[in-house]
Amino acid sequence: MTTIHEGDLDILLVEEEDAPSIGGFLQAAMDREQGYRLHWETKLKDAWKAWEKRQIQEGWPFDLILLGLGLPDVGMGKD
C-alpha cells in the first residue's frame, strides 16, 4: 500500500502493456522512493478516465503526465 504524504508528486504514466521494461522500471523506481506516487495506465481511454476522476472528483490534477507515443488505442494519423 502506498503511503500518501503532503507534497508527494503524483505521476500519471500512460504506456503500453507490451513495453513492460519502461513501465515496470518506472513503477519499481517510484515505489522505492519517497515523495512519488505513480499511477500507470496502458490505454489512453483509461488514462483519460483516471485524469477525469482526479481532476473532477478529487479536485486536483496529476503533477506530471508521461505519455507513450505508440499506444494501441490512439489512431496516429487516422481519421
Side-chain angles (χ1 to χ4, degrees):
M1 176 179 235
T2 302
T3 303
I4 299 173
H5 302 283
E6 189 68 33
D8 281 355
L9 186 66
D10 290 308
I11 301 169
L12 174 59
L13 172 64
V14 189
E15 182 60 63
E16 299 180 66
E17 244 177 338
D18 65 349
S21 58
I22 296 170
F25 171 78
L26 287 172
Q27 183 77 58
M30 296 297 119
D31 286 347
R32 283 192 306 267
E33 297 294 326
Q34 290 185 354
Y36 299 96
R37 283 193 312 271
L38 184 72
H39 183 92
W40 181 11
E41 293 294 346
T42 58
K43 294 181 180 157
L44 188 59
K45 67 178 181 176
D46 295 334
W48 182 254
K49 289 177 188 175
W51 181 86
E52 281 182 324
K53 179 182 179 198
R54 175 63 61 95
Q55 182 70 29
I56 295 168
Q57 292 178 0
E58 297 177 13
W60 69 87
F62 285 97
D63 297 303
L64 176 66
I65 298 174
L66 300 172
L67 179 62
L69 297 177
L71 296 168
D73 59 340
V74 176
M76 299 293 280
K78 298 179 184 176
D79 291 333

